Amino acid sequence: MSAPELNPPQTEAALHTQGPLLVFAGAGSGKTRVITYRIANLIAREGVAPYRILAVTFTNRAAKEMRERLGRLLGESTARDIWAGTFHATCAKLLRQYGEGVGLSRSFVIYDAQDQRSLLNRILKERNYDDKRFAPKQVLGWIHKQKQEAKTPDDGSDDHPLGESYATLYRLYEKQLRACNAVDFEDLILRVSQILSDPKNPDGDRIRSRFEHVLIDEFQDTNAVQYKLMRSLVDKHENLCVVGDDDQSIYSWRGADVRNILGFQRDFPDAKVVKLEQNYRSSAHIVGAALAVIAPSRTREPKELWTANEAGEPIEVVGLQTEREEAALVVSYAKQAQGAGIDLNEIAVFYRINAQSRVLEEALRAGNLPYQVVGGMKFFDRAEVKDALAYLRVIDNPKSDVDLLRIINTPARGIGDSTVDKLTTHAAFGGLSLTDALNYAESISDLSAAPRKKLAAFGKMLTDLRAKSIDLSPSALLREVLDASGYNASLRAENSAEADSRIENLQELYGSLRDFEAEAEAAGEVPSLAGFLERVSLVNDIDNMENASRVTLMTVHSAKGLEFNLVMLTGMEEEMFPYRGFDGRNDDELEEERRLAYVAITRARKQLVMTHVQRRQLFGTTRMGVPSRFIGNLPHGSVVHRATGAPPPRYVDQPSSGGYAAKALHGSHPWSHPHAPRKTASPPVEPGERFVDREFFDEGASDVAEAPSLRPGSPVFHERFGRGQVRAIASGNEPVVTAFFPGWGEKKVLVRFLTSG
C-alpha cells in the first residue's frame, strides 16, 4: 500500500485490523478507497482468507465497483472470493444455503411490490375485507415497517388504530408467502436474523463462523433489523468496521435510523473512531455551500468538511416565474454545457418529488435533448417482461401462486375469471398450491368439461417445460417458454407497433440472460435460472442507469452515491424543498430534509445551479413559491443570485457566516478569490426571522390583517395550517378568508389570524 494513495485519516482506518471501527466519512472523502484498501490490507498483510470477509454495500453498483477495485489490487480470482454485496443480496445468498431452517427451499422466489399487492389482494378478497378500509398499500407499508423493526405479527399492533386487524392480515400474508415458497425484500434480512438469533438453530453458528471480518458501508442508512443482524454476525469477535455519514441519512421512510451510527459507540464502547473530512470531489464553493446548509442541524456528529480543490464556479441561484420557465432554463444550461464539451451523462437534474419531472421531460423533448429518468418505468417492470419472468419463476418454483395467476390466461387461452376462482377455491380447500391443483383439474366437479380440459392442458404445458428446463440453459428455456406458451405468436398476430416493441423487449430479456450466462461462465460457475431470477429481483434504479450520453433526471433520494459535473437542483421553494411545511425547528423531518439538501449539493463536482419559482402548478393546484430556507443558508461569497437583481428572500437558521466556506477552502475565503462574484448585502435579519423580498414577489408590503384588499391568489400563512393560497374573501364585521392549505384543504379563517405568506 503506497502512502500517496491515502491521506493520514484514510491510512489510519485502512490499517486498523482488530475490534470495532467507526469511520465518519464526509461526502466525497474517499470512503470507497478506504474500504477497498482496508480489505486489501486484511488479505495481503494480515493473511485473512478472502471468503471470510463480508463487505456490505448500499447498491449492487457500489458492490461491483468495489470488486473491480479489489480485482486491480489483489487479482480478479481473489476479489471474486470476497462476499461483497447489498444486505438483500447477501441475505438471499445465505438463505439459498441455510433457508430450510426457516421454512424455505433453495428455489424460493422474491416477490416484488406488485407481487406482494397481488398476494394481499387475494387475501382481502378471500376473507371479505373491505379494500377501502384496508387499502393494500397502507397494509403492506405497515407490515414492511414491522419487519424492518424485526417484529412478528404478535408485536407492535398497538401502534395502529386497526392494529389487531392489521396483525391478522400480517399473519395471513406470512402464511401465504410460506405456502408459495416466497419472500418479500424485508424477509430476506429478517429470516437470516431469525436464524442467527435462534439458539436451537445450528445454522446460526455456521453463518457466524464464515466471517472473520464484517464491513458495512452507508451505515447511517441501516434499519433496526439490519442492525440486529450485524450485531449477531460479530458477537463472537467484534471485528466490525462501519463507514457512514450521519449528514447523509435520508431514508427514514424506508426504516433507516440515524441513531444506529450516532449510538454506535454506546454499543461498542471500545470502538476506534476516524473522521474523513477532506472532500476530493467538489469545488470549494460547492463544499462550502454543503457545509453551510448542514451546519444548523442539531443532531449531527461535529465534522468540518473541507477541500484543497480550487474555488471553481460560484453557485447560481435563479428565481423564475413558473415551472415552465424553470424547465426552459434547464434545457438552456444543458445545451450550453454540451456546447462547452461536457458530455450529457455528466449533467443531472434533481427534484424533490417525481411529479416535478413531467414538465422537465416535455422541455427536454422539445429541445431535442436525450435524457433518462432514474426511478421511472424500469425494464423489468414492463408487462411483457414480467409475464416472461412469471413463466420462468413458476417453472423454477411451482408453489408461486402469484406468478401462476399472472400467466394462467396470458396469452389468452380461454381460462376465464370464473374458472380461476373455482380453481383457487379447490386449491384452498385441499391445502394445495395452484400448480398442484392443476394436476387435479379433472376432479373439480363444478367445472364443465371445456374449462377442465383447458386447465389440464395448461398444467401439462408447465410440466413439460419444467422437464425440459433440466437440460436447457436459462436463455434457451426462455425461447422455449415464449414458443410453447404461444406468447410470441400472439404478439406477432397483433401486427402493431406496440406489439413489435414488446417483442423487442423480450429479445432484450433474452440478451440479458445471455449476458448473465457469459458472466457466470467467466467466473467458473454454472449459470442457473434461480441465480438470474434472484439478480432481477434485487436490481434497483441506480443499477439500471445507463452510461449513454443523455441528461439524467432523478429525485434527490435516487441521487445518493452518484456525482456529476453539472447539477441543476430544481424546485427550491418552501414546501417543495423542504417538502411540505415545517413550523418546528426541532422537527425530525426537517432535519432529514436538511440532510437531503446536503446530499443534493454534494453530488456536484464543478457546477451547481439552484432554481426556485414564484408559481408552480402541481397536483392540479397553483402553489405560490417562497424560496427555500436552504438557499438562505448558502455563504454569500459562494453564490450569484439571478432574478430581478434584488437580494432573494432568505431564511436564516443561524447567523450567516463565511466561516463554513472558509473552512471548506482550508483557510482562505472564497469571496477573496480574484474571480469570485460581488454580492449586494441582504437587509439585516434577526436569527430565525423570515425575510421576504416584496420586489420579487410583487405582493405589496402591507400585513394581511391590515389589508382588506386581499385578492384570490394571494399567499397567506396560518400558525396551524401553514402556508396557503386565498380562494375567496367575504366581507362583514370582520373579514373572513377562504384559503387552500396543502394537507388541510380549504379552510375559512378570520383575516386577523393570517399573515402574508
Side-chain angles (χ1 to χ4, degrees):
M1 185 183 305
S2 57
E5 291 287 340
L6 302 174
N7 64 32
Q10 290 174 336
T11 301
E12 185 180 8
L15 295 180
H16 178 274
T17 59
Q18 295 296 319
L21 170 67
L22 169 60
V23 180
F24 283 105
S29 61
K31 66 182 177 63
T32 304
R33 182 190 306 150
V34 170
I35 296 172
T36 303
Y37 273 86
R38 189 173 191 277
I39 294 172
N41 182 63
L42 288 172
I43 295 171
R45 292 186 175 178
E46 301 299 320
V48 179
Y51 58 85
R52 295 203 177 278
I53 297 175
L54 170 62
V56 181
T57 61
F58 191 67
T59 64
N60 295 313
R61 188 187 186 102
K64 182 180 178 182
E65 180 187 351
M66 183 183 296
R67 286 195 201 94
E68 289 173 349
R69 291 193 185 196
L70 287 166
R72 291 192 290 269
L73 285 172
L74 301 169
E76 291 185 6
S77 61
T78 300
R80 276 199 302 267
D81 287 340
I82 298 165
W83 281 60
T86 63
F87 268 108
H88 293 97
T90 299
C91 290
K93 189 175 178 181
L94 289 169
L95 285 175
R96 296 289 177 200
Q97 299 179 47
Y98 303 106
E100 290 184 5
V102 286
L104 292 172
S105 76
R106 287 177 177 265
S107 62
F108 71 82
V109 294
I110 303 169
Y111 278 176
D112 64 15
Q114 186 173 331
D115 299 327
Q116 295 163 32
R117 283 195 299 273
S118 297
L119 188 66
L120 186 61
N121 280 327
R122 181 178 165 192
I123 293 169
L124 293 171
K125 182 179 179 181
E126 289 177 351
R127 300 288 175 141
N128 294 318
Y129 277 87
D130 181 356
D131 61 4
K132 291 185 174 60
R133 189 179 184 204
F134 297 94
K137 183 177 180 181
Q138 277 70 42
V139 175
L140 282 170
W142 184 85
I143 291 173
H144 294 162
K145 183 174 182 291
Q146 303 309 298
K147 292 186 178 186
Q148 289 163 359
E149 296 177 359
K151 293 179 179 178
T152 69
D154 298 322
D155 301 324
S157 61
D158 292 339
D159 66 355
H160 194 280
L162 299 172
E164 284 302 318
S165 296
Y166 270 42
T168 299
L169 286 170
Y170 185 2
R171 289 188 192 92
L172 294 170
Y173 174 76
E174 285 298 288
K175 183 179 179 181
Q176 284 297 315
L177 280 176
R178 289 177 183 272
C180 294
N181 191 32
V183 296
D184 57 27
F185 294 113
E186 280 71 25
D187 272 331
L188 291 170
I189 301 169
L190 180 59
R191 298 286 184 93
V192 176
S193 178
Q194 289 170 343
I195 293 172
L196 289 166
S197 60
D198 182 0
K200 297 179 181 179
N201 191 336
D203 288 335
D205 284 333
R206 292 190 182 103
I207 293 173
R208 266 185 289 270
S209 66
R210 295 187 72 107
F211 306 118
E212 293 179 12
H213 288 268
V214 177
L215 300 91
I216 300 179
D217 191 13
E218 303 288 1
F219 186 65
Q220 76 280 350
D221 291 322
T222 53
N223 60 32
V225 72
Q226 289 167 339
Y227 192 72
K228 180 180 178 182
L229 172 69
M230 173 211 72
R231 294 202 67 181
S232 296
L233 280 173
V234 302
D235 65 356
K236 301 293 186 186
H237 52 70
E238 292 197 346
N239 288 332
L240 172 66
C241 169
V242 298
V243 183
D245 182 7
D246 55 301
D247 291 339
Q248 298 185 66
S249 180
I250 59 173
Y251 294 109
S252 65
W253 49 279
R254 290 183 184 170
D257 191 343
V258 70
R259 291 174 298 182
N260 288 348
I261 190 169
L262 292 175
F264 185 81
Q265 292 170 269
R266 176 197 63 230
D267 295 331
F268 296 90
D270 297 329
K272 183 179 183 61
V273 179
V274 177
K275 294 183 181 181
L276 308 181
E277 298 173 306
Q278 182 176 1
N279 178 288
Y280 292 92
R281 175 190 300 153
S282 306
S283 70
H285 281 313
I286 292 170
V287 172
L291 186 56
V293 166
I294 197 63
S297 174
R298 291 160 173 79
T299 59
R300 66 189 293 261
E301 173 73 15
K303 295 178 293 296
E304 298 298 343
L305 201 66
W306 64 275
T307 185
N309 295 339
E310 294 182 357
E313 294 291 323
I315 297 160
E316 292 190 56
V317 176
V318 186
L320 301 138
Q321 293 293 311
T322 68
E323 74 277 6
R324 296 203 171 274
E325 287 186 13
E326 179 180 59
L329 183 83
V330 164
V331 171
S332 174
Y333 269 78
K335 287 190 171 182
Q336 287 177 29
Q338 186 183 35
I342 296 177
D343 195 300
L344 292 180
N345 65 12
E346 287 292 347
I347 301 172
V349 184
F350 296 163
Y351 35 83
R352 178 61 183 80
I353 57 174
N354 279 307
Q356 292 172 253
S357 74
R358 180 183 61 82
V359 175
L360 294 165
E361 289 187 64
E362 290 173 356
L364 287 164
R365 283 197 297 269
N368 292 317
L369 281 174
Y371 66 91
Q372 64 175 325
V373 180
V374 176
M377 172 66 80
K378 298 189 288 290
F379 174 77
F380 291 106
D381 284 343
R382 299 180 188 278
E384 61 277 9
V385 175
K386 284 188 72 69
D387 291 341
L389 291 174
Y391 274 100
L392 295 176
R393 295 208 298 186
V394 167
I395 291 168
D396 189 57
N397 175 21
K399 292 184 178 181
S400 183
D401 288 356
V402 167
D403 289 303
L404 190 137
L405 288 171
R406 182 180 183 95
I407 61 174
I408 195 168
N409 198 41
T410 305
R413 49 178 62 93
I415 301 176
D417 291 343
S418 175
T419 300
V420 172
D421 287 343
K422 291 174 182 177
L423 176 70
T424 302
T425 301
H426 180 73
F429 278 124
L432 304 171
S433 70
L434 292 180
T435 299
D436 289 336
L438 284 173
N439 297 327
Y440 300 98
E442 294 293 340
S443 64
I444 303 178
S445 57
D446 53 349
L447 279 178
S448 61
R452 287 204 301 265
K453 184 177 180 180
K454 290 171 183 175
L455 287 175
F458 176 63
K460 184 178 184 304
M461 179 192 71
L462 292 179
T463 300
D464 292 344
L465 286 169
R466 198 167 293 117
K468 290 180 180 180
S469 70
I470 298 172
D471 300 318
L472 293 176
S473 68
S475 59
L477 178 62
L478 174 64
R479 285 191 179 278
E480 187 71 22
V481 163
L482 295 177
D483 288 339
S485 66
Y487 204 103
N488 270 340
S490 69
L491 289 177
R492 286 194 293 267
E494 284 186 30
N495 193 27
S496 66
E498 181 182 354
D500 290 344
S501 176
R502 296 176 72 186
I503 290 172
E504 289 172 357
N505 286 333
L506 290 171
Q507 291 170 340
E508 184 66 21
L509 177 62
Y510 174 80
S512 178
L513 272 160
R514 291 291 296 149
D515 290 344
F516 167 77
E517 291 165 352
E519 290 176 21
E521 289 163 2
E525 301 171 355
V526 178
S528 68
L529 178 59
F532 176 76
L533 294 173
E534 181 176 302
R535 173 189 282 194
V536 169
S537 297
L538 297 176
V539 74
N540 62 29
D541 296 337
I542 303 303
D543 300 323
N544 280 326
M545 279 186 62
E546 300 180 14
N547 292 322
S549 182
R550 59 187 69 184
V551 178
T552 300
L553 274 64
M554 61 172 63
T555 65
V556 181
H557 280 102
S558 298
K560 181 74 173 293
L562 303 176
E563 54 188 72
F564 303 88
N565 281 342
L566 167 59
V567 168
M568 288 176 272
L569 183 51
T570 63
M572 291 299 292
E573 301 117 37
E574 286 291 302
E575 297 191 6
M576 284 299 298
F577 200 175
Y579 191 50
R580 297 201 174 102
F582 298 100
D583 297 328
R585 295 304 172 91
N586 291 314
D587 194 295
D588 288 342
E589 292 182 359
L590 176 56
E591 290 287 290
E592 182 153 324
E593 292 290 307
R594 182 173 297 286
R595 296 193 293 267
L596 192 58
Y598 173 82
V599 167
I601 293 169
T602 54
R603 300 310 94 194
R605 294 192 198 101
K606 298 181 179 179
Q607 189 174 3
L608 175 64
V609 179
M610 296 182 178
T611 60
H612 57 89
V613 302
Q614 180 178 352
R615 298 185 306 279
R616 183 178 299 277
Q617 286 281 347
L618 195 68
F619 306 132
T621 62
T622 300
R623 296 176 176 226
M624 305 306 292
V626 175
S628 169
R629 67 190 71 195
F630 302 143
I631 290 176
N633 291 138
L634 300 175
H636 292 186
S638 293
V639 183
V640 168
H641 291 276
R642 289 177 47 202
T644 62
R650 188 164 72 83
Y651 278 92
V652 180
D653 288 304
Q654 89 292 327
S656 187
S657 166
Y660 301 124
K663 290 169 184 170
L665 278 164
H666 207 34
S668 62
H669 293 273
W671 48 87
S672 66
H673 191 277
H675 302 296
R678 301 296 173 187
K679 178 179 178 295
T680 305
S682 299
V685 186
E686 293 298 321
E689 180 187 350
R690 178 168 54 86
F691 167 69
V692 179
D693 180 357
R694 300 296 177 185
E695 181 179 349
F696 177 75
F697 285 98
D698 191 27
E699 296 170 355
S702 301
D703 185 85
V704 175
E706 301 174 353
S709 59
L710 267 176
R711 59 184 182 276
S714 296
V716 289
F717 178 82
H718 186 273
E719 187 171 326
R720 180 182 179 192
F721 304 134
R723 290 174 181 78
Q725 184 182 27
V726 174
R727 292 284 175 84
I729 303 169
S731 58
N733 293 334
E734 189 170 1
V736 175
V737 164
T738 300
F740 176 81
F741 297 93
W744 295 90
E746 286 194 357
K747 298 287 182 182
K748 289 186 177 180
V749 184
L750 292 173
V751 169
R752 61 187 169 89
F753 290 111
L754 298 171
T755 58
S756 177

